[in-house]
Amino acid sequence: MRTNIREWSLLASAVVLLVSPCVCRAQITEYQQHQWLRMESHIGNLTGHARAAEMDYRRYCVGCHGELGDGNGENAPWVDPKPRDFELAIFKCRSTPTGTLPTDEDLFNSIARGLDRSNMPQWSTFTKQMRADLVAWVKHFSPRWQTEKPGTPIQIPPEPEVTADRIKDGQAVFQKVECWKCHGVTGKANGPSAATLTDDQNRPISAYDFTEGARPKCGDTDQDLYRIFMTGLDGTPMPSFADNIKPDEAWDLVFYLRTLEPQKSKEKEIAKQLGLKPVAPSTAPAAAPPQ
Amino acid sequence: MKARYKVAGMTSVLLSLAFCLLWSTGSVSAAAEGKITGTVKLDGAAPHMKGIDMSKDPYCVKQHENSPAHLENVIVGPGGGLQNVVLYISDGLSGAEASQVPSQEPVFDQKNCMYTPHVLAMNVNQKFKVNTSDQTTHNIHPLPNALAGNIPWNKSQPPGAPPIETSWKTEEVAIPVKCNIHPWMHGYFVVVKGPYATTDEKGSYTIANLPPGSFTVTAWHEEYGTQTQKVTVAAGKAGTADFTFKAK
C-alpha cells in the first residue's frame, strides 16, 4: 500500500513536471493576448479601445490586411502595393523620425485619408470613435507597441511667406540633396535611379511623379509635404532628410515642389515669371573628392 | 512572517554573492589577455565577381576610371584566404563578459560608391558611424528584422554631411544594408556580443581580450553561412581555430 502511494505520488509529480511548462506557456500567450487586446489609442481627448474595433476590422479591413494583421488577406494577391503588415509596424505616413513608431494620430489620419495610388481606401465616413478604436486594433497586432514608444514628432516651424527667392533656394536644395536622382529633374519620377527602386520586400516601386497632380499618400498640405521628406516613407526607398535639410530650407523646398505640380498655385505663377528651368543633373556637383 | 525574513535574508545573501561574482569576472576580463587566432579559407574555385555598371551616376564612374569596380560578395586572397568573415564567441562567455561594449567606434564609409568595409562587425549597443567620403548623395538603408528587435531606417547622406552615429539594440547576424540610389551598393552590419574579429585579405583574424576558458567560435560569411568550432584558451595564451568553407 505504502509503496503504491509513493509510486503514485512519483508519477503524479512527474506528470505535473511534464505538463507545467505547457500550462505556463499557454498561460503566457493567453496573458499576452489579453494584454494586447487591452491596447488603447489616444487621439486628443479621444480614447480608442482595440476590442471595440474587432467587428469593424472583420467587416472592412480583413480582406486585405488579414486575420493576423500580416497583410495576407484573401485579396492581397491582387493588390499592389501590398497591404500593410501590421505585425512589423513599419509605416509610411509618420510625423516621427525614420525607424520609429508613428503616433496614434498619424495612424488615425492615414485611416481617414486612405493611401492614394494604392488599394487602401479612404475611411472618412467612419466616426472618430470608430477610427480611434481601429488605431488601437491595428496596434494590437505588433509586439513592438509593448516594448517601444512612438518617436518624438518632428517640429514644423510656422510657414513663411512664399517669395521668388525662396523658390529659387528651394530648387537649389532639390539639386543639392539630389531628389532628382529618383524623382527626375522635372519631377516626373524618371531620375537615373528610378528604374531600379525596390521596397523593403524587394518589390519594384516607383518614385512619386509630381507632374501627374496625384495626391501624395501622406497628405497634400504644405505641412504634409514638409513632413514627408523630413521623416521619409519607411519601408520604401524614400529616405529621411531630417539630418540634412534645415527647417528654413525645408520650407523653400516645399515651395519649389509646388512648381513641379500641374495644379495652379502662387508658386507656379512666380516660377513662370522667373522663367525657372528644371535643374540639370550635369550641373550637379561632380568634382573629385577633396583628398 | 519569519519565513519572509528568511527569504529576504537569503535573497540579500544571494544578491551580494552575485555582485561579488560580477565584480570578480569584471576584473578578470579587464585582465583578459587571451586570444583566438586563425585563418579562414575557401576550398575550391572562387566564384567570378561581376563588374559593376555604374553608368547611373557619372561621379561613380569617374571614381573607377582606372580600377573597375567588382561585386564584393566573395573576396579570396592568394592562398585561398577568405576576406570579410566575421568571427565571434557564440558560447562560453559569462553574461558580464558578453555585455562589455568597446568604446571605440567602428566606421562604415561610403567611398567611391562602394561600402568600406563591405562587412562591418560590432557589438550590441556599440556606437558606430556611417560616413560619406563621396561627392554624390547616398541613402543609407539598413534592413534588420523589425520583430527581432532592431528597426530598419532610411536616411539620406548628401556630400559633406556629418557622419550618422548610432547603434543596434540586439544581436543580429547579419543586417543587410543598401543604397537605393546606387543599387549595386550592398553590405552588412554584423551585430554580436563579446569580442569579435573580421578576416583580412589573407583570411587571417585574431579575437583579442579573451579570459581563459572554453569557447565556441562561430564564423559567418554572407555567401557560405556559418561554421562553429570549440576552442580552449589558457590564461593570457592564444587558442587556434582555422576554418574552411567549401566553394559552391
Side-chain angles (χ1 to χ4, degrees):
Chain A
M1 198 51 199
R2 237 188 226 163
T3 45
N4 234 346
I5 287 175
R6 210 178 279 162
E7 269 169 13
W8 271 110
S9 58
L10 259 176
L11 203 89
S13 52
V15 164
V16 166
L17 269 175
L18 276 174
V19 166
S20 59
C22 315
V23 171
C24 251
R25 205 167 296 160
Q27 268 172 355
I28 284 169
T29 47
E30 222 169 80
Y31 173 75
Q32 271 181 349
Q33 264 174 3
H34 187 68
Q35 287 294 97
W36 295 12
L37 279 171
R38 282 170 48 188
M39 180 66 74
E40 287 184 357
S41 72
H42 299 276
I43 296 115
N45 47 21
L46 258 186
T47 301
H49 301 276
R51 273 212 199 86
E54 192 168 355
M55 293 312 285
D56 284 338
Y57 183 83
R58 288 249 151 74
R59 181 175 308 160
Y60 302 110
C61 322
V62 81
C64 289
H65 293 286
E67 197 71 39
L68 303 171
D70 57 2
N72 282 324
E74 55 178 345
N75 301 323
W78 295 278
V79 172
D80 177 42
K82 293 292 168 209
R84 192 68 65 252
D85 174 352
F86 298 138
E87 240 179 324
L88 288 174
I90 294 173
F91 293 97
K92 290 187 178 176
C93 305
R94 291 165 294 102
S95 58
T96 59
T98 177
T100 63
L101 292 172
T103 64
D104 291 352
E105 200 160 0
D106 291 336
L107 294 172
F108 184 77
N109 292 338
S110 297
I111 294 172
R113 193 195 309 114
L115 271 75
D116 276 50
R117 292 165 291 117
S118 93
N119 291 65
M120 169 68 189
Q122 209 172 311
W123 303 102
S124 49
T125 56
F126 286 6
T127 64
K128 289 194 168 163
Q129 187 61 53
M130 277 167 88
R131 275 194 280 142
D133 294 339
L134 280 164
V135 169
W137 184 260
V138 163
K139 285 165 59 181
H140 106 282
F141 286 118
S142 179
R144 288 186 56 196
W145 300 93
Q146 308 295 329
T147 52
E148 292 170 50
K149 287 204 165 55
T152 309
I154 59 154
Q155 294 293 316
I156 305 186
E159 182 168 351
E161 197 64 38
V162 191
T163 62
D165 277 345
R166 281 196 174 272
I167 289 177
K168 277 195 280 188
D169 291 349
Q171 185 176 41
V173 177
F174 190 83
Q175 179 163 358
K176 190 181 86 185
V177 302
E178 301 185 350
C179 308
W180 54 268
K181 284 230 173 108
C182 299
H183 291 281
V185 291
T186 57
K188 245 189 119 34
N190 58 356
S193 299
T196 49
L197 296 177
T198 53
D199 70 9
D200 285 12
Q201 274 70 43
N202 255 326
R203 296 178 295 235
I205 187 171
S206 353
Y208 173 74
D209 181 347
F210 288 92
T211 67
E212 262 184 345
R215 199 174 63 149
K217 290 179 195 286
C218 305
D220 61 356
T221 68
D222 290 351
Q223 279 72 17
D224 291 330
L225 281 183
Y226 186 112
R227 200 178 295 115
I228 285 168
F229 61 75
M230 289 305 242
T231 66
L233 267 61
D234 281 0
T236 85
M238 173 68 202
S240 157
F241 286 83
D243 293 344
N244 295 296
I245 298 180
K246 294 189 197 74
D248 205 47
E249 292 176 331
W251 277 121
D252 299 346
L253 181 54
V254 169
F255 298 143
Y256 177 66
L257 296 179
R258 291 292 184 210
T259 71
L260 304 172
E261 298 173 351
Q263 290 92 333
K264 276 212 178 92
S265 64
K266 197 168 167 191
E267 289 87 352
K268 237 180 138 56
E269 194 82 353
I270 298 177
K272 209 167 157 195
Q273 281 166 14
L274 281 172
L276 208 64
K277 297 262 168 358
V279 291
S282 53
T283 62
Q291 263 172 17
Chain B
M1 212 42 201
K2 247 189 200 163
R4 229 180 249 175
Y5 280 124
K6 249 190 201 163
V7 168
M10 283 288 272
T11 28
S12 61
V13 165
L14 276 175
L15 267 175
S16 37
L17 259 175
F19 271 121
C20 288
L21 257 174
L22 268 175
W23 192 260
S24 58
T25 51
S27 49
V28 163
S29 52
E33 279 158 2
K35 48 189 161 184
I36 298 175
T37 66
T39 309
V40 184
K41 293 206 162 157
L42 184 70
D43 174 23
H48 172 66
M49 287 292 106
K50 275 200 218 127
I52 302 173
D53 173 11
M54 295 190 175
S55 56
K56 264 182 207 309
D57 192 330
Y59 169 85
C60 304
V61 172
K62 201 150 184 267
Q63 305 312 302
H64 291 275
E65 251 167 7
N66 304 316
S67 59
H70 294 270
L71 293 180
E72 297 184 323
N73 305 38
V74 181
I75 304 181
V76 177
L82 187 60
Q83 198 180 339
N84 287 331
V85 177
V86 176
L87 297 110
Y88 59 97
I89 309 294
S90 44
D91 195 30
L93 289 170
S94 71
E97 286 154 1
S99 53
Q100 277 188 9
V101 177
S103 56
Q104 163 257 346
E105 294 189 15
V107 178
F108 193 65
D109 196 14
Q110 297 157 103
K111 193 167 184 191
N112 302 334
C113 305
M114 300 287 282
Y115 289 133
T116 319
H118 174 65
V119 172
L120 185 72
M122 66 188 81
N123 277 154
V124 172
N125 293 327
Q126 182 176 12
K127 284 244 160 52
F128 69 101
K129 281 185 183 146
V130 179
N131 185 52
T132 182
S133 304
D134 280 342
Q135 293 297 307
T136 187
T137 301
H138 294 293
N139 76 296
I140 167 109
H141 193 164
L143 292 157
N145 173 5
L147 292 180
N150 295 321
I151 312 301
W153 48 264
N154 182 8
K155 292 184 175 189
S156 163
Q157 223 177 10
I164 296 166
E165 192 186 58
T166 182
S167 61
W168 295 109
K169 278 194 290 189
T170 43
E171 288 170 277
E172 192 162 351
V173 181
I175 302 176
V177 194
K178 68 179 188 180
C179 173
N180 298 91
I181 299 173
H182 307 106
W184 61 83
M185 289 177 74
H186 194 270
Y188 291 94
F189 295 137
V190 181
V191 189
V192 300
K193 283 187 165 173
Y196 58 84
T198 311
T199 54
D200 60 17
E201 60 285 353
K202 292 190 208 112
S204 310
Y205 76 92
T206 301
I207 305 178
N209 302 326
L210 286 172
S214 291
F215 302 106
T216 305
V217 182
T218 295
W220 172 87
H221 184 272
E222 63 178 285
E223 293 290 331
Y224 302 117
T226 56
Q227 282 187 17
T228 57
Q229 268 187 53
K230 289 225 159 36
V231 188
T232 303
V233 175
K237 295 272 166 27
T240 327
D242 295 329
F243 293 84
T244 305
F245 285 100
K246 266 216 148 357
K248 280 184 217 162

PDB file of all heavy atoms in Angstrom, chain B residues 28-56:
ATOM      1  N   VAL B  28      38.545  40.151 -13.907  1.00  0.00           N
ATOM      2  CA  VAL B  28      39.229  39.110 -14.684  1.00  0.00           C
ATOM      3  C   VAL B  28      39.288  39.535 -16.153  1.00  0.00           C
ATOM      4  O   VAL B  28      40.330  39.527 -16.775  1.00  0.00           O
ATOM      5  CB  VAL B  28      38.525  37.752 -14.565  1.00  0.00           C
ATOM      6  CG1 VAL B  28      38.981  36.811 -15.679  1.00  0.00           C
ATOM      7  CG2 VAL B  28      38.836  37.125 -13.217  1.00  0.00           C
ATOM      8  N   SER B  29      38.105  39.972 -16.675  1.00  0.00           N
ATOM      9  CA  SER B  29      38.099  40.274 -18.105  1.00  0.00           C
ATOM     10  C   SER B  29      38.865  41.550 -18.402  1.00  0.00           C
ATOM     11  O   SER B  29      39.328  41.751 -19.507  1.00  0.00           O
ATOM     12  CB  SER B  29      36.676  40.345 -18.656  1.00  0.00           C
ATOM     13  OG  SER B  29      35.912  41.203 -17.881  1.00  0.00           O
ATOM     14  N   ALA B  30      39.022  42.410 -17.389  1.00  0.00           N
ATOM     15  CA  ALA B  30      39.869  43.582 -17.597  1.00  0.00           C
ATOM     16  C   ALA B  30      41.291  43.103 -17.895  1.00  0.00           C
ATOM     17  O   ALA B  30      42.013  43.698 -18.667  1.00  0.00           O
ATOM     18  CB  ALA B  30      39.844  44.483 -16.377  1.00  0.00           C
ATOM     19  N   ALA B  31      41.658  41.973 -17.252  1.00  0.00           N
ATOM     20  CA  ALA B  31      42.984  41.414 -17.490  1.00  0.00           C
ATOM     21  C   ALA B  31      42.893  40.279 -18.514  1.00  0.00           C
ATOM     22  O   ALA B  31      43.736  39.405 -18.561  1.00  0.00           O
ATOM     23  CB  ALA B  31      43.574  40.896 -16.196  1.00  0.00           C
ATOM     24  N   ALA B  32      41.813  40.288 -19.315  1.00  0.00           N
ATOM     25  CA  ALA B  32      41.624  39.199 -20.272  1.00  0.00           C
ATOM     26  C   ALA B  32      42.570  39.387 -21.443  1.00  0.00           C
ATOM     27  O   ALA B  32      42.327  40.203 -22.310  1.00  0.00           O
ATOM     28  CB  ALA B  32      40.181  39.174 -20.750  1.00  0.00           C
ATOM     29  N   GLU B  33      43.664  38.632 -21.413  1.00  0.00           N
ATOM     30  CA  GLU B  33      44.671  38.828 -22.448  1.00  0.00           C
ATOM     31  C   GLU B  33      44.823  37.633 -23.363  1.00  0.00           C
ATOM     32  O   GLU B  33      45.751  37.552 -24.150  1.00  0.00           O
ATOM     33  CB  GLU B  33      46.003  39.205 -21.804  1.00  0.00           C
ATOM     34  CG  GLU B  33      46.021  40.686 -21.464  1.00  0.00           C
ATOM     35  CD  GLU B  33      47.016  41.040 -20.376  1.00  0.00           C
ATOM     36  OE1 GLU B  33      47.736  40.136 -19.897  1.00  0.00           O
ATOM     37  OE2 GLU B  33      47.052  42.214 -20.004  1.00  0.00           O
ATOM     38  N   GLY B  34      43.892  36.694 -23.226  1.00  0.00           N
ATOM     39  CA  GLY B  34      43.918  35.542 -24.125  1.00  0.00           C
ATOM     40  C   GLY B  34      43.358  35.919 -25.480  1.00  0.00           C
ATOM     41  O   GLY B  34      42.746  36.981 -25.635  1.00  0.00           O
ATOM     42  N   LYS B  35      43.631  35.072 -26.465  1.00  0.00           N
ATOM     43  CA  LYS B  35      43.037  35.355 -27.775  1.00  0.00           C
ATOM     44  C   LYS B  35      42.820  34.072 -28.562  1.00  0.00           C
ATOM     45  O   LYS B  35      43.299  33.009 -28.186  1.00  0.00           O
ATOM     46  CB  LYS B  35      43.913  36.321 -28.561  1.00  0.00           C
ATOM     47  CG  LYS B  35      45.377  35.984 -28.590  1.00  0.00           C
ATOM     48  CD  LYS B  35      46.128  37.152 -29.218  1.00  0.00           C
ATOM     49  CE  LYS B  35      47.598  37.097 -28.877  1.00  0.00           C
ATOM     50  NZ  LYS B  35      48.351  38.222 -29.374  1.00  0.00           N
ATOM     51  N   ILE B  36      42.093  34.203 -29.646  1.00  0.00           N
ATOM     52  CA  ILE B  36      41.929  33.101 -30.584  1.00  0.00           C
ATOM     53  C   ILE B  36      42.338  33.634 -31.951  1.00  0.00           C
ATOM     54  O   ILE B  36      41.853  34.681 -32.372  1.00  0.00           O
ATOM     55  CB  ILE B  36      40.477  32.596 -30.617  1.00  0.00           C
ATOM     56  CG1 ILE B  36      40.074  32.054 -29.251  1.00  0.00           C
ATOM     57  CG2 ILE B  36      40.306  31.507 -31.694  1.00  0.00           C
ATOM     58  CD1 ILE B  36      38.629  31.630 -29.134  1.00  0.00           C
ATOM     59  N   THR B  37      43.260  32.927 -32.587  1.00  0.00           N
ATOM     60  CA  THR B  37      43.680  33.365 -33.913  1.00  0.00           C
ATOM     61  C   THR B  37      43.462  32.233 -34.902  1.00  0.00           C
ATOM     62  O   THR B  37      43.287  31.086 -34.518  1.00  0.00           O
ATOM     63  CB  THR B  37      45.173  33.750 -33.966  1.00  0.00           C
ATOM     64  OG1 THR B  37      45.926  32.562 -33.747  1.00  0.00           O
ATOM     65  CG2 THR B  37      45.527  34.786 -32.946  1.00  0.00           C
ATOM     66  N   GLY B  38      43.495  32.574 -36.153  1.00  0.00           N
ATOM     67  CA  GLY B  38      43.338  31.544 -37.168  1.00  0.00           C
ATOM     68  C   GLY B  38      43.205  32.139 -38.546  1.00  0.00           C
ATOM     69  O   GLY B  38      43.346  33.346 -38.748  1.00  0.00           O
ATOM     70  N   THR B  39      42.928  31.244 -39.498  1.00  0.00           N
ATOM     71  CA  THR B  39      42.771  31.640 -40.889  1.00  0.00           C
ATOM     72  C   THR B  39      41.502  31.003 -41.420  1.00  0.00           C
ATOM     73  O   THR B  39      41.177  29.871 -41.058  1.00  0.00           O
ATOM     74  CB  THR B  39      43.969  31.146 -41.730  1.00  0.00           C
ATOM     75  OG1 THR B  39      45.167  31.555 -41.083  1.00  0.00           O
ATOM     76  CG2 THR B  39      43.936  31.714 -43.131  1.00  0.00           C
ATOM     77  N   VAL B  40      40.797  31.728 -42.261  1.00  0.00           N
ATOM     78  CA  VAL B  40      39.611  31.182 -42.909  1.00  0.00           C
ATOM     79  C   VAL B  40      39.913  31.060 -44.390  1.00  0.00           C
ATOM     80  O   VAL B  40      40.394  32.013 -45.009  1.00  0.00           O
ATOM     81  CB  VAL B  40      38.373  32.063 -42.675  1.00  0.00           C
ATOM     82  CG1 VAL B  40      37.138  31.405 -43.297  1.00  0.00           C
ATOM     83  CG2 VAL B  40      38.152  32.316 -41.194  1.00  0.00           C
ATOM     84  N   LYS B  41      39.668  29.857 -44.933  1.00  0.00           N
ATOM     85  CA  LYS B  41      39.985  29.632 -46.347  1.00  0.00           C
ATOM     86  C   LYS B  41      38.768  29.197 -47.124  1.00  0.00           C
ATOM     87  O   LYS B  41      37.818  28.651 -46.560  1.00  0.00           O
ATOM     88  CB  LYS B  41      41.054  28.546 -46.467  1.00  0.00           C
ATOM     89  CG  LYS B  41      42.363  29.008 -45.894  1.00  0.00           C
ATOM     90  CD  LYS B  41      43.535  28.298 -46.507  1.00  0.00           C
ATOM     91  CE  LYS B  41      44.768  29.123 -46.222  1.00  0.00           C
ATOM     92  NZ  LYS B  41      46.000  28.411 -46.266  1.00  0.00           N
ATOM     93  N   LEU B  42      38.832  29.419 -48.416  1.00  0.00           N
ATOM     94  CA  LEU B  42      37.808  28.909 -49.311  1.00  0.00           C
ATOM     95  C   LEU B  42      38.398  27.728 -50.059  1.00  0.00           C
ATOM     96  O   LEU B  42      39.467  27.833 -50.658  1.00  0.00           O
ATOM     97  CB  LEU B  42      37.357  29.989 -50.296  1.00  0.00           C
ATOM     98  CG  LEU B  42      36.206  29.528 -51.200  1.00  0.00           C
ATOM     99  CD1 LEU B  42      34.922  29.379 -50.389  1.00  0.00           C
ATOM    100  CD2 LEU B  42      35.974  30.504 -52.346  1.00  0.00           C
ATOM    101  N   ASP B  43      37.696  26.580 -49.979  1.00  0.00           N
ATOM    102  CA  ASP B  43      38.168  25.379 -50.665  1.00  0.00           C
ATOM    103  C   ASP B  43      37.456  25.295 -52.011  1.00  0.00           C
ATOM    104  O   ASP B  43      36.243  25.130 -52.060  1.00  0.00           O
ATOM    105  CB  ASP B  43      37.850  24.158 -49.794  1.00  0.00           C
ATOM    106  CG  ASP B  43      38.178  22.858 -50.494  1.00  0.00           C
ATOM    107  OD1 ASP B  43      39.024  22.874 -51.415  1.00  0.00           O
ATOM    108  OD2 ASP B  43      37.580  21.831 -50.127  1.00  0.00           O
ATOM    109  N   GLY B  44      38.201  25.424 -53.087  1.00  0.00           N
ATOM    110  CA  GLY B  44      37.594  25.389 -54.420  1.00  0.00           C
ATOM    111  C   GLY B  44      37.771  26.722 -55.122  1.00  0.00           C
ATOM    112  O   GLY B  44      38.317  27.671 -54.546  1.00  0.00           O
ATOM    113  N   ALA B  45      37.285  26.758 -56.356  1.00  0.00           N
ATOM    114  CA  ALA B  45      37.470  27.967 -57.152  1.00  0.00           C
ATOM    115  C   ALA B  45      36.545  29.071 -56.663  1.00  0.00           C
ATOM    116  O   ALA B  45      35.355  28.841 -56.433  1.00  0.00           O
ATOM    117  CB  ALA B  45      37.184  27.669 -58.624  1.00  0.00           C
ATOM    118  N   ALA B  46      37.119  30.258 -56.503  1.00  0.00           N
ATOM    119  CA  ALA B  46      36.308  31.405 -56.081  1.00  0.00           C
ATOM    120  C   ALA B  46      35.360  31.776 -57.215  1.00  0.00           C
ATOM    121  O   ALA B  46      35.768  31.784 -58.377  1.00  0.00           O
ATOM    122  CB  ALA B  46      37.210  32.579 -55.746  1.00  0.00           C
ATOM    123  N   PRO B  47      34.094  32.057 -56.901  1.00  0.00           N
ATOM    124  CA  PRO B  47      33.169  32.442 -57.967  1.00  0.00           C
ATOM    125  C   PRO B  47      33.599  33.773 -58.591  1.00  0.00           C
ATOM    126  O   PRO B  47      34.233  34.592 -57.936  1.00  0.00           O
ATOM    127  CB  PRO B  47      31.831  32.589 -57.248  1.00  0.00           C
ATOM    128  CG  PRO B  47      32.176  32.794 -55.822  1.00  0.00           C
ATOM    129  CD  PRO B  47      33.471  32.092 -55.577  1.00  0.00           C
ATOM    130  N   HIS B  48      33.250  33.960 -59.842  1.00  0.00           N
ATOM    131  CA  HIS B  48      33.590  35.202 -60.538  1.00  0.00           C
ATOM    132  C   HIS B  48      32.762  36.349 -59.975  1.00  0.00           C
ATOM    133  O   HIS B  48      31.544  36.245 -59.855  1.00  0.00           O
ATOM    134  CB  HIS B  48      33.316  35.024 -62.033  1.00  0.00           C
ATOM    135  CG  HIS B  48      33.451  36.286 -62.808  1.00  0.00           C
ATOM    136  ND1 HIS B  48      34.662  36.931 -62.966  1.00  0.00           N
ATOM    137  CD2 HIS B  48      32.527  37.058 -63.440  1.00  0.00           C
ATOM    138  CE1 HIS B  48      34.474  38.023 -63.671  1.00  0.00           C
ATOM    139  NE2 HIS B  48      33.191  38.139 -63.968  1.00  0.00           N
ATOM    140  N   MET B  49      33.418  37.429 -59.613  1.00  0.00           N
ATOM    141  CA  MET B  49      32.701  38.608 -59.142  1.00  0.00           C
ATOM    142  C   MET B  49      32.475  39.554 -60.317  1.00  0.00           C
ATOM    143  O   MET B  49      33.432  40.064 -60.908  1.00  0.00           O
ATOM    144  CB  MET B  49      33.509  39.317 -58.041  1.00  0.00           C
ATOM    145  CG  MET B  49      33.510  38.577 -56.722  1.00  0.00           C
ATOM    146  SD  MET B  49      31.892  38.544 -55.895  1.00  0.00           S
ATOM    147  CE  MET B  49      31.397  36.853 -56.190  1.00  0.00           C
ATOM    148  N   LYS B  50      31.211  39.765 -60.625  1.00  0.00           N
ATOM    149  CA  LYS B  50      30.851  40.583 -61.790  1.00  0.00           C
ATOM    150  C   LYS B  50      31.330  42.015 -61.647  1.00  0.00           C
ATOM    151  O   LYS B  50      31.349  42.568 -60.547  1.00  0.00           O
ATOM    152  CB  LYS B  50      29.331  40.611 -61.923  1.00  0.00           C
ATOM    153  CG  LYS B  50      28.788  39.427 -62.690  1.00  0.00           C
ATOM    154  CD  LYS B  50      27.380  39.777 -63.198  1.00  0.00           C
ATOM    155  CE  LYS B  50      26.464  38.586 -63.115  1.00  0.00           C
ATOM    156  NZ  LYS B  50      25.227  38.766 -62.433  1.00  0.00           N
ATOM    157  N   GLY B  51      31.682  42.605 -62.767  1.00  0.00           N
ATOM    158  CA  GLY B  51      31.978  44.029 -62.780  1.00  0.00           C
ATOM    159  C   GLY B  51      30.692  44.807 -62.549  1.00  0.00           C
ATOM    160  O   GLY B  51      29.595  44.294 -62.788  1.00  0.00           O
ATOM    161  N   ILE B  52      30.806  46.043 -62.037  1.00  0.00           N
ATOM    162  CA  ILE B  52      29.602  46.830 -61.739  1.00  0.00           C
ATOM    163  C   ILE B  52      29.424  47.935 -62.770  1.00  0.00           C
ATOM    164  O   ILE B  52      30.357  48.683 -63.048  1.00  0.00           O
ATOM    165  CB  ILE B  52      29.703  47.456 -60.330  1.00  0.00           C
ATOM    166  CG1 ILE B  52      29.880  46.357 -59.287  1.00  0.00           C
ATOM    167  CG2 ILE B  52      28.465  48.285 -60.033  1.00  0.00           C
ATOM    168  CD1 ILE B  52      30.159  46.886 -57.894  1.00  0.00           C
ATOM    169  N   ASP B  53      28.224  48.014 -63.317  1.00  0.00           N
ATOM    170  CA  ASP B  53      27.886  49.096 -64.236  1.00  0.00           C
ATOM    171  C   ASP B  53      27.371  50.276 -63.415  1.00  0.00           C
ATOM    172  O   ASP B  53      26.279  50.214 -62.841  1.00  0.00           O
ATOM    173  CB  ASP B  53      26.808  48.605 -65.208  1.00  0.00           C
ATOM    174  CG  ASP B  53      26.281  49.733 -66.078  1.00  0.00           C
ATOM    175  OD1 ASP B  53      26.888  50.832 -66.066  1.00  0.00           O
ATOM    176  OD2 ASP B  53      25.261  49.516 -66.765  1.00  0.00           O
ATOM    177  N   MET B  54      28.174  51.321 -63.328  1.00  0.00           N
ATOM    178  CA  MET B  54      27.791  52.465 -62.507  1.00  0.00           C
ATOM    179  C   MET B  54      27.256  53.629 -63.345  1.00  0.00           C
ATOM    180  O   MET B  54      27.198  54.759 -62.865  1.00  0.00           O
ATOM    181  CB  MET B  54      28.997  52.932 -61.683  1.00  0.00           C
ATOM    182  CG  MET B  54      29.474  51.914 -60.666  1.00  0.00           C
ATOM    183  SD  MET B  54      30.692  52.626 -59.545  1.00  0.00           S
ATOM    184  CE  MET B  54      30.942  51.264 -58.407  1.00  0.00           C
ATOM    185  N   SER B  55      26.859  53.343 -64.593  1.00  0.00           N
ATOM    186  CA  SER B  55      26.538  54.439 -65.515  1.00  0.00           C
ATOM    187  C   SER B  55      25.366  55.305 -65.068  1.00  0.00           C
ATOM    188  O   SER B  55      25.166  56.397 -65.594  1.00  0.00           O
ATOM    189  CB  SER B  55      26.280  53.880 -66.917  1.00  0.00           C
ATOM    190  OG  SER B  55      25.269  52.910 -66.855  1.00  0.00           O
ATOM    191  N   LYS B  56      24.602  54.856 -64.082  1.00  0.00           N
ATOM    192  CA  LYS B  56      23.548  55.683 -63.499  1.00  0.00           C
ATOM    193  C   LYS B  56      24.107  56.986 -62.958  1.00  0.00           C
ATOM    194  O   LYS B  56      23.399  57.972 -62.867  1.00  0.00           O
ATOM    195  CB  LYS B  56      22.962  54.959 -62.287  1.00  0.00           C
ATOM    196  CG  LYS B  56      21.746  54.171 -62.544  1.00  0.00           C
ATOM    197  CD  LYS B  56      21.298  53.567 -61.209  1.00  0.00           C
ATOM    198  CE  LYS B  56      20.535  52.284 -61.443  1.00  0.00           C
ATOM    199  NZ  LYS B  56      19.477  52.411 -62.407  1.00  0.00           N
TER     200      LYS B  56
END
